[in-house]
Amino acid sequence: MEKLNALFKRRGFVYPGSELYGGLANTYDYGPVGTELLRNIKNLWWKYFVQKRDDMVGLDASLISHHKIWEASGHTAGFSDALVDCKKCKTRIRADHLLEDWISLNKETDTAGKTYHVLTPEKVAIAFETEKVEGWDPQEMSEFIHVFSVPCPKCKDNPGTEWTQVRKFNLLFPIQLGIIEGEQSLAYLRGETAQGMFVDFTNVVNSTRVKLPFGIAQVGKSFRNEITLGNSVFRTIEFEQGEIEYFFDPKKSDWNHLFNGWKESMWNFVTEQLGVHTENLRWREHSDEERSFYSKRTEDLEYNFPFGFKELWGLAYRTDYDLSQHEKHAQKELVVNDPETNEKVKPHVIEPAVGINRLFLMVLSDAYTEEGERVVLKLHPKIAPVKAAVFPLLKNKTELVGKARDVYTMLKQEIDGIVVWDDRGNIGKRYLAQDEIGTPFCITIDFDTLEDDTVTVRDRDSASQERIAISELSNLLSSKLQ
Ligand code: GAP
């Protein structure tokens, strides 16, 4: 992660948030190339999952939302992290992360002969086998820390007894809305984009021609007051989600079939559209303990980040839980009319939910390559932040610079995406700078260009060069950027 972090800062992918004032924990700013990459990923997601399908519509719901939405969804009561504090160095950490990281480093620990009050030997054995403690309550985690003397990862010599008890903290950000007094002024920054799709369900049904099965998709910011582990943008308090609620009639559609179809689409998006290596991906099915009580099946697509396999994208069959909850709390029916039977149907839902920032971190981790002295980001050309760079061989020869400017202006007009100009340093250094941000093509205008109207096109991945007529350049690059 250190090499990636250094590259992020050096080349303008990601900067620490509020750095000028000493920084603000768990926040990040995206620099010029990072912003382009993030936008390209979002646009591609939108195109693939909304624009190119005929069973999807989009939504852009408010970030600030009524407190009753979050009461109905269960977030005000149950959306919390179990945290524990080291009494010595005051580090606050998520208890599940502390335990899972410790277990993965101490797989060979002898668990025989331990006595528990709230845990059971079977539960502990499963945790050592799966390296997961999801579904454990604070008392169970506190007991594990105590029984196995789990040390503080920061100050290292802190035995289990010096931890506080594990306690739960709600993740939602409450906000007070201006002039309205009392409870009415309480609102929340949304903790997930998903609720927008349930709250606007009837609006979408009444204002469009959708028919079951159909999905509502949304890309946008969500906010969670999380403690993070410092793995760049993997987990932040403000992040972007790309979520889909896919509504269907359980009497007419087989949920397993739909679920598997979504698995395939997610996999294809990551491998074919984003070009990620399949060996760095795996599916993980949630156990009964881990899965939410209303979910019939949940699977995570995990990516092998520099800090290990972690959740990239969740897929859950949530039954009709969310619509039913909102029906109950809002006292309004949330149904569609079946045009064949004229009966009311309360749809069930399958939810693929991904963090756009995690897709961003994944494509950068996956593309990062060192070849001798050369660091190259082998990003899929479709999402590369800069599509092409144009260089005059020498910056002090007016004929070369003039010709290069003509090519640059032409490509700026004709290529979909960013084209940059660079005349600093020698050609080798310019190549290295572009390789580090993953620019697929570098075009050099040299003395031959003045004679025959051809340019050198250098390919990022193979570093090979070919001569191409200027008249063919835009078409050739555009076809390779698809
Ligand atoms: N509506 C379901 C939902 O929000 P989630 O597993 O909490 O489910 C979905 O979030 C996805 O959002 C995750 O798989 C992850 O990619 C991303 N995500 C969640 N919390 C995040 C955070 N704090 N920072 C960055 N991405 C996050």
Side-chain angles (χ1 to χ4, degrees), residues 75 79 191-195 198 222-224 226 228 233-243 245 300-301 311-314 318 351-359:
H75 283 77
F79 192 48
E192 60 175 19
T193 52
Q195 292 308 316
F198 302 119
S222 293
F223 303 84
R224 296 181 188 177
E226 305 218 44
T228 76
V233 296
F234 179 79
R235 189 180 298 283
T236 49
I237 57 180
E238 174 189 338
F239 56 101
E240 280 188 273
Q241 290 186 302
E243 293 199 280
E245 301 304 330
D300 289 342
L301 181 56
E311 176 183 342
L312 172 76
W313 204 326
R318 299 173 65 93
E351 179 193 73
V354 72
I356 302 293
N357 316 78
R358 285 196 191 171
L359 291 175

Side-chain angles (χ1 to χ4, degrees), residues 33 72 114 128 137 162 169 218 239 248 293 326 421 428:
V33 287
K114 302 278 187 195
F128 272 96
D137 66 31
E162 289 194 35
F169 291 88
Q218 183 168 198
F239 56 101
F248 62 95
F293 68 92
H326 286 296
W421 170 268

Side-chain angles (χ1 to χ4, degrees), residues 196-255:
M197 277 78 100
F198 302 119
V199 171
D200 276 323
F201 177 75
T202 305
N203 281 332
V204 171
V205 169
N206 290 344
S207 59
T208 65
R209 311 277 294 164
V210 289
K211 274 200 324 221
L212 291 177
F214 70 89
I216 310 180
Q218 183 168 198
V219 178
K221 295 249 172 162
S222 293
F223 303 84
R224 296 181 188 177
N225 204 352
E226 305 218 44
I227 299 289
T228 76
L229 294 177
N231 291 324
S232 182
V233 296
F234 179 79
R235 189 180 298 283
T236 49
I237 57 180
E238 174 189 338
F239 56 101
E240 280 188 273
Q241 290 186 302
E243 293 199 280
I244 293 166
E245 301 304 330
Y246 197 74
F247 298 97
F248 62 95
D249 180 348
K251 288 202 198 112
K252 293 195 170 166
S253 302
D254 170 21
W255 69 264

Side-chain angles (χ1 to χ4, degrees), residues 152-358:
C152 167
K154 186 122 176 253
C155 63
K156 298 269 190 265
D157 58 352
N158 192 6
T161 44
E162 289 194 35
W163 289 102
T164 61
Q165 287 296 309
V166 176
R167 290 166 297 170
K168 288 213 160 188
F169 291 88
N170 195 279
L171 296 177
L172 286 179
F173 280 104
I175 47 171
Q176 294 296 328
L177 287 190
I179 47 170
I180 310 161
E181 292 292 315
E183 202 194 274
Q184 293 309 307
S185 64
L186 174 67
Y188 288 100
L189 288 181
R190 66 182 178 196
E192 60 175 19
T193 52
Q195 292 308 316
M197 277 78 100
F198 302 119
V199 171
D200 276 323
F201 177 75
T202 305
N203 281 332
V204 171
V205 169
N206 290 344
S207 59
T208 65
R209 311 277 294 164
V210 289
K211 274 200 324 221
L212 291 177
F214 70 89
I216 310 180
Q218 183 168 198
V219 178
K221 295 249 172 162
S222 293
F223 303 84
R224 296 181 188 177
N225 204 352
E226 305 218 44
I227 299 289
T228 76
L229 294 177
N231 291 324
S232 182
V233 296
F234 179 79
R235 189 180 298 283
T236 49
I237 57 180
E238 174 189 338
F239 56 101
E240 280 188 273
Q241 290 186 302
E243 293 199 280
I244 293 166
E245 301 304 330
Y246 197 74
F247 298 97
F248 62 95
D249 180 348
K251 288 202 198 112
K252 293 195 170 166
S253 302
D254 170 21
W255 69 264
N256 252 314
H257 178 73
L258 291 177
F259 195 98
N260 290 333
W262 279 105
K263 271 182 82 171
E264 204 179 314
S265 299
M266 289 157 62
W267 182 269
N268 290 347
F269 180 77
V270 172
T271 57
E272 289 166 15
Q273 302 293 310
L274 299 179
V276 165
H277 295 97
T278 49
E279 64 271 23
N280 287 330
L281 292 162
R282 71 177 187 200
W283 286 101
R284 189 180 70 78
E285 179 141 20
H286 284 210
S287 63
D288 291 347
E289 292 78 36
E290 191 183 343
R291 214 175 45 236
S292 310
F293 68 92
Y294 47 78
S295 170
K296 286 222 171 121
R297 182 176 168 196
T298 300
E299 290 198 39
D300 289 342
L301 181 56
E302 295 188 334
Y303 178 75
N304 193 10
F305 288 97
F307 36 90
F309 271 101
K310 298 278 174 215
E311 176 183 342
L312 172 76
W313 204 326
L315 180 64
Y317 170 28
R318 299 173 65 93
T319 63
D320 61 357
Y321 173 76
D322 306 271
L323 287 181
S324 297
Q325 283 296 105
H326 286 296
E327 271 195 339
K328 210 158 62 192
H329 285 254
Q331 301 278 296
K332 291 194 182 110
E333 224 176 19
L334 296 174
V335 292
V336 288
N337 229 39
D338 183 327
E340 283 160 18
T341 60
N342 218 18
E343 281 174 4
K344 287 178 183 169
V345 177
K346 172 124 51 80
H348 281 211
V349 82
I350 287 177
E351 179 193 73
V354 72
I356 302 293
N357 316 78
R358 285 196 191 171

